[in-house]
Amino acid sequence: MTKLFEYQSKELIKKEGVKIPRSDVAVSGEEAEKIASDLGGAVVVKAQAWITGRAGVGAIQFAGTPADAKKHAENMLGMVLNKHQVEKVLIEEKLDVETEYYAGITINDRLRRPVLIFSSVGGTGIEDLATKYPDKIANYPIQIGRGLKEYEVRNVIRKTGVPSKHLLRVADMIIRLYNTARKCEARSAEINPIGVTASGDVYALDCRIVVDDNAVFRHPELGIEVAREFDHPPTRLEKIAYKVEDKDYRGTFYFIQLENNPQGEGYIAFHGGGGGGSIMGMDALMRHGFKLLNFCDTSGNPSASKVYRAAKIILMQDNIEGYFATGSGVASQEQYHTARGLVKAFREENLSVPAVLRVGGNSEEEAIRIIHEYTRDLPGKVEAYGRDTSVDFCVERLKKLIKENKEKKVEVV
Amino acid sequence: MYEFQTVTGKVTIDHSKCDSCDKKPCVESCLPSILSFENGHPVLAIDEKEAAKGRCIECLACELECEFHGNQGIHIYLPLPELK
């Protein structure tokens, strides 16, 4: 599922009429200082990252002066939060908030409909608060054909202890949140906290929207480059990999980099064929002490050209010690397509590291023949195996080949 | 240079190399059987537009067989997407 940043999510709800604090996005300390100066008064500096609990790790700071805002922004920009390097900060006016609530619209797969979740205790640590105060939480499955009505929302939130004076405005905000979620086909849309000021104005102080991957193509206005569930902004290679799918719907191709800056030894380029087989292969590699540079899956009967492009992208990574490909072992797709795709990529790149390819499935004998026959002149040794060879054995082989490859390099030196 | 478009790339065949090729494995290796010989040179046996729409499945077999058993006259160009 594709996550939007706080500032992007807030722009969407603002268009639906939800009040948000005056704010702007900065990519440098100087910009942050200028924005803070323009806003006037105290501001909040917020790192734009897909994590929760930002306040606890210094990724949300209050600033009384523009100079303070600059200092905090400079500290946050470049900060790595759960693999995510902060590239933008949101500078927002600081409001005096008296009460905080939580509201979320999320798709419930079991109920097959969106559910409104509301809590009359909002803010940091909402998950813990929900456990501590179960009577303050309400769930309400929404009839999607009918939509969400204002009176329904009032009835729901009143049960959690929201005072009468807040009911109308909070309910109005939730309706607008629901409309936003429907328009951008969100899997979830949350405002946490909803802040109520002394004057009774209701603001969305933080907002997170997650868009359904399969709906992204209908929403070019969202500017989503890669519709994948990442814990980091897409890397250059991930963007290239995603674009492969633009023009080629034969089979599927997923590619995710697991290491930003691989240091040291033991990194394997991984190429899976099918989710279950991939997990089995990755587990086996890690059991044997290897580290994974990436996850890749080409399955669902991909063309040889798609497998080729996947292998080319995989091989563009740094610090590869070995290439490992495996599937379930009983793939129904013709394995010679996979074999030819890999061979073309390996030959073009003049593969210099060992590769072990477990290509079990239809026509595996032909696939193994193609791989062995057409890679024997490459500097990196390539071995192929079929369904009768275990994943663990294949990993052992890779380990041995990597060791031999390193010894060979030492001899040459 | 003989060439035709595929769904995501382009096949180029250097017919001058085919003249001195003994085995000519390209046509036989073509999985969807869309190649045939014309004056001893491999050419599309179907309309070019059909090949571009997907009748050429980009199996890569002709290129590989030509490289190892023919005269290295076929190249399949499969560009990676570029970023703006």
Side-chain angles (χ1 to χ4, degrees), chain A residues 211-239:
Chain A
V211 180
D212 188 333
D213 286 351
N214 297 313
V216 165
F217 76 98
R218 284 191 288 269
H219 298 282
E221 78 282 3
L222 296 176
I224 295 168
E225 279 186 286
V226 178
R228 296 272 192 256
E229 186 166 357
F230 287 160
D231 59 359
H232 57 269
T235 63
R236 179 175 161 269
L237 292 185
E238 287 164 349
K239 288 178 188 174

Side-chain angles (χ1 to χ4, degrees), chain A residues 7-238:
Chain A
Y7 75 91
Q8 295 169 314
S9 304
K10 278 181 167 168
E11 279 302 314
L12 291 177
I13 56 173
K14 186 182 174 185
K15 282 181 190 161
E16 278 300 308
V18 172
K19 273 190 181 175
I20 61 170
R22 290 180 301 126
S23 62
D24 207 345
V25 176
V27 295
S28 68
E30 287 73 25
E31 278 187 20
E33 186 176 30
K34 168 85 169 50
I35 294 165
S37 175
D38 292 346
L39 290 172
V43 296
V44 192
V45 183
K46 305 166 92 174
Q48 297 302 285
W50 296 326
I51 63 160
T52 55
R54 283 177 295 172
V57 294
I60 294 180
Q61 298 281 355
F62 296 104
T65 64
D68 281 349
K70 180 185 177 191
K71 186 182 73 184
H72 290 314
E74 284 173 345
N75 287 339
M76 287 178 200
L77 290 165
M79 189 186 256
V80 177
L81 300 169
N82 191 23
K83 294 185 185 175
H84 183 144
Q85 187 159 15
V86 176
E87 294 171 354
K88 290 176 181 169
V89 290
L90 183 68
I91 313 298
E92 194 169 77
E93 68 172 323
K94 184 177 179 298
L95 299 173
D96 288 326
V97 170
E98 286 195 336
T99 311
E100 294 184 342
Y101 302 123
Y102 164 92
I105 306 288
T106 186
I107 302 293
N108 185 310
D109 289 324
R110 187 173 60 81
L111 297 175
R112 293 174 157 189
R113 60 178 65 180
V115 172
L116 163 64
I117 303 168
F118 182 82
S119 166
S120 56
V121 283
T124 304
I126 183 66
E127 296 84 358
D128 297 334
L129 291 171
T131 311
K132 200 172 172 186
Y133 307 106
D135 57 317
K136 305 287 186 190
I137 310 285
N139 290 286
Y140 184 70
I142 300 164
Q143 289 193 31
I144 200 144
R146 192 157 58 88
L148 185 61
K149 305 295 181 192
E150 194 266 350
Y151 70 87
E152 292 175 295
V153 178
R154 267 188 287 124
N155 285 341
V156 171
I157 67 177
R158 187 168 48 208
K159 289 176 191 164
T160 67
V162 174
S164 305
K165 62 180 179 179
H166 293 167
L167 281 179
L168 279 176
R169 288 186 182 183
V170 174
D172 177 71
M173 175 182 274
I174 291 171
I175 293 291
R176 292 173 194 277
L177 176 66
Y178 174 73
N179 291 340
T180 308
R182 292 282 289 142
K183 276 189 182 167
C184 69
E185 301 186 69
R187 286 286 300 186
S188 71
E190 294 178 299
I191 300 176
N192 183 39
I194 295 171
V196 185
T197 63
S199 59
D201 287 323
V202 180
Y203 288 88
L205 300 184
D206 193 359
C207 180
R208 298 300 172 99
I209 291 176
V210 179
V211 180
D212 188 333
D213 286 351
N214 297 313
V216 165
F217 76 98
R218 284 191 288 269
H219 298 282
E221 78 282 3
L222 296 176
I224 295 168
E225 279 186 286
V226 178
R228 296 272 192 256
E229 186 166 357
F230 287 160
D231 59 359
H232 57 269
T235 63
R236 179 175 161 269
L237 292 185
E238 287 164 349

Side-chain angles (χ1 to χ4, degrees), chain A residues 236-237 239-240 243-244 247-248 250 303-305 308-309 312-313 316 336-337 340-341 343-344 347-348 369-370 373-375 377, chain B residues 6-10 29 31 54 56-65 67-69 75-84:
Chain A
R236 179 175 161 269
L237 292 185
K239 288 178 188 174
I240 293 173
K243 278 180 165 284
V244 170
K247 290 183 180 170
D248 192 353
R250 298 167 296 179
S303 58
S305 57
Y308 157 80
R309 286 188 171 97
K312 288 279 279 191
I313 290 168
M316 286 163 79
Y336 46 68
H337 290 311
R340 290 196 179 96
V343 166
K344 180 173 168 66
R347 297 197 65 75
E348 285 184 7
R369 181 195 68 77
I370 289 168
E373 189 171 334
Y374 299 142
T375 63
D377 57 333
Chain B
T6 65
V7 175
T8 68
K10 185 169 74 178
S29 69
L31 288 177
C56 171
I57 61 171
E58 300 175 334
C59 68
L60 314 180
C62 61
E63 182 189 51
L64 207 52
E65 294 306 312
E67 183 177 353
F68 280 87
H69 304 294
H75 178 66
I76 302 176
Y77 178 60
L78 299 169
L80 283 174
E82 288 178 9
L83 298 178
K84 287 175 188 171

